[in-house]
Amino acid sequence: MENLTEFLDLGKQPIANGFLTKDQLKDNEYFYELKVGFNQETKLVSIINQVDPPLMFNDSYPYNTSMSTTMIKHFEDIATKIKNIKSNPKVLEIGSNSGEFIKHFDKSLSLAVEPCGNFAKVTENLGIKTYNRFWTHDLAKEIFQNHGKYDFIYAANCICHIPDLIDTFKGVKDLLNNEGIFIFEDPSLARVILNGSFCQWYDEHPHMFSIIAIKNLLKEAGLKLFGVETLNVHGGSNRILAIKDSEIVSESESVNRNIWFETEIMKLDQIQTYYDFADKVKKSKKDLVNILNIQKSKGKIISYGATAKSTTIFNYCNINSELIDFITDTTIDKQNKFSPGQHIPVVSPDINWDEVETIFLGAWNFKDFILNKEKEHFKNKTVITHVPYVRIV
Ligand code: TMP
């Protein structure tokens, strides 16, 4: 990526969701240098050496939205909101995963775009026309020829995965009806900085969005930011609402409030903010390794949730199975595999909990849900998180 001033070096990292079978441990694993930079002109924060998308988004992509009750409810709620704005809308979803959002709309008016073949099949089987392709401006032109324009274009945790944002937004603009609304949700850079959650940087997140940068990029592509909603999902996200650039609709108060917060309070438009954050990340690594070493002398340590985020943590902090005995995860496709890079075994949560002394919250973004669900298993154990700083919960 051009024009990026580096501020954070998270070391050699593997494909974050590339969980390995026992046989694959023998193969040469792919690693890249995870360095993060700030574009002083657009204010966008991006990974410097971005990973080629087909290495991450392919027919064995493991992240399944349907595994999370929180996300199922989330998609049902936003689908209801959209139907309240316009009944029987024509909807396109970019990055439809297992179809938890798009399935709420009239199938004959819906379209899904999903590059991961395993998930494209799922929405096809639900009867929703699906393009098993990466989103590009060229694909948008093809869709326009075949299906016309859309009332709503929606994308959740997907736009920040796409390297070329201007091409992406131009494609959206061409496919929106005049009154059409583009809604997308991605992790919030402000929340990453506040949470010290450096683990939000991994191969699948070439960009981390501030509202300041989003406004600049949308404008460059002929779209206008007119609303921002704050969401708690994925450790803190923003829902962005945009329309075709026009003078008629003015920015809502939510846009001005967020820009003011990010500029005046968080100073996300200044490189020094990112240098200060990088110092906090180094401290987080030191503290986490220290606390885990202390706990290790007392007994077994497990990590709860084989998240892409924990791939970044374990590889940056050089934490392997000598420190963390295993990772539990409810996703069947991740079980009986090994974590990317550090090769910690992943097992089902159906373990002998009496043997466990310490639990690290790899899925820290579901902390309250997990603490409530696992009250019995976690009783009398030490639970550790690194968010917003390394501590015992
Ligand atoms: P995410 O942070 O990228 O959404 O991934 C969450 C991972 O954590 C996913 O693989 C499922 C796993 N998980 C559990 O194993 N148990 C749980 O109770 C929850 C909420 C998630």
Side-chain angles (χ1 to χ4, degrees), residues 17 19 62-64 67-71 202 234-235 304-309 328-331 334-335 347 349 362-367 369-370 373-374:
N17 266 313
F19 292 87
Y63 186 81
N64 185 342
M67 292 304 295
S68 164
T69 44
T70 313
M71 292 314 291
Y202 50 90
H234 290 290
Y304 196 97
T307 57
K309 291 184 271 298
T328 64
D329 200 287
T330 47
T331 313
K334 292 183 185 177
Q335 291 168 6
V347 298
W364 59 267
N365 45 314
F366 292 105
K367 179 173 121 273
F369 175 82
I370 292 168
K373 181 174 92 168
E374 298 289 7

Side-chain angles (χ1 to χ4, degrees), residues 16-77:
N17 266 313
F19 292 87
L20 304 161
T21 61
K22 201 166 181 207
D23 279 350
Q24 286 170 327
L25 290 180
K26 295 194 288 285
D27 301 342
N28 261 347
E29 198 174 353
Y30 174 90
F31 284 91
Y32 69 102
E33 296 285 341
L34 177 48
K35 293 180 178 174
V36 190
F38 175 64
N39 183 321
Q40 311 242 16
E41 202 180 312
T42 62
K43 314 298 178 194
L44 181 65
V45 167
S46 307
I47 290 178
I48 294 172
N49 294 326
Q50 300 185 358
V51 174
D52 195 22
L55 284 173
M56 305 170 271
F57 308 110
N58 47 48
D59 296 354
S60 50
Y61 186 63
Y63 186 81
N64 185 342
T65 297
S66 305
M67 292 304 295
S68 164
T69 44
T70 313
M71 292 314 291
I72 291 171
K73 169 89 172 57
H74 176 82
F75 289 124
E76 200 182 321
D77 290 350

Side-chain angles (χ1 to χ4, degrees), residues 92-290:
L92 182 156
E93 183 176 16
I94 307 173
S96 46
N97 197 268
S98 54
E100 285 299 337
F101 166 79
I102 197 77
K103 73 177 188 190
H104 294 287
F105 300 93
D106 183 336
K107 290 182 181 48
S108 66
L109 297 174
S110 305
L111 191 73
V113 174
E114 174 52 64
C116 304
N118 49 338
F119 286 111
K121 261 190 217 132
V122 175
T123 43
E124 276 289 353
N125 289 340
L126 291 174
I128 300 158
K129 169 76 187 156
T130 305
Y131 281 77
N132 180 204
R133 304 258 294 273
F134 283 95
W135 177 260
T136 59
H137 194 179
D138 282 343
L139 177 62
K141 287 177 190 158
E142 199 179 316
I143 290 174
F144 174 67
Q145 294 296 330
N146 295 334
H147 311 277
K149 296 193 178 192
Y150 285 82
D151 300 318
F152 291 90
I153 299 180
Y154 179 76
N157 304 301
C158 174
I159 300 300
C160 74
H161 291 179
I162 308 179
D164 189 343
L165 296 171
I166 296 299
D167 179 80
T168 296
F169 292 155
K170 282 185 174 164
V172 168
K173 187 193 134 215
D174 283 2
L175 270 185
L176 275 182
N177 280 328
N178 281 344
E179 310 278 289
I181 305 181
F182 175 34
I183 304 174
F184 66 103
E185 306 171 3
D186 283 296
S188 146
L189 177 62
R191 290 285 286 274
V192 168
I193 301 287
L194 286 168
N195 282 336
S197 50
F198 64 89
C199 52
Q200 290 277 20
W201 275 292
Y202 50 90
D203 50 355
E204 292 181 27
H205 290 166
H207 310 290
M208 196 63 67
F209 296 138
S210 63
I211 305 300
I212 302 170
I214 282 293
K215 186 177 170 182
N216 292 339
L217 293 161
L218 287 171
K219 191 168 173 52
E220 201 180 324
L223 289 164
K224 180 172 184 169
L225 168 68
F226 82 93
V228 179
E229 291 173 28
T230 304
L231 308 171
N232 278 325
V233 294
H234 290 290
S237 300
N238 287 314
R239 176 177 289 151
I240 307 291
L241 295 101
I243 45 165
K244 286 191 189 186
D245 203 359
S246 85
E247 296 302 315
I248 305 161
V249 177
S250 56
E251 285 168 0
S252 77
E253 198 264 325
S254 65
V255 173
N256 297 331
R257 195 176 57 237
N258 275 279
I259 299 268
W260 172 83
F261 176 71
E262 289 190 352
T263 313
E264 301 301 324
I265 307 295
M266 300 284 308
K267 305 204 184 313
L268 295 187
D269 56 341
Q270 295 175 24
I271 184 73
Q272 189 57 43
T273 304
Y274 301 97
Y275 291 142
D276 295 346
F277 175 75
D279 289 340
K280 286 189 192 140
V281 174
K282 284 186 199 140
K283 178 168 165 30
S284 183
K285 171 178 178 170
K286 213 167 115 207
D287 291 349
L288 182 60
V289 172
N290 275 345

Side-chain angles (χ1 to χ4, degrees), residues 327-349:
I327 304 171
T328 64
D329 200 287
T330 47
T331 313
I332 290 163
D333 281 351
K334 292 183 185 177
Q335 291 168 6
N336 305 317
K337 289 190 177 167
F338 295 83
S339 74
Q342 297 296 338
H343 303 173
I344 304 170
V346 181
V347 298
S348 121

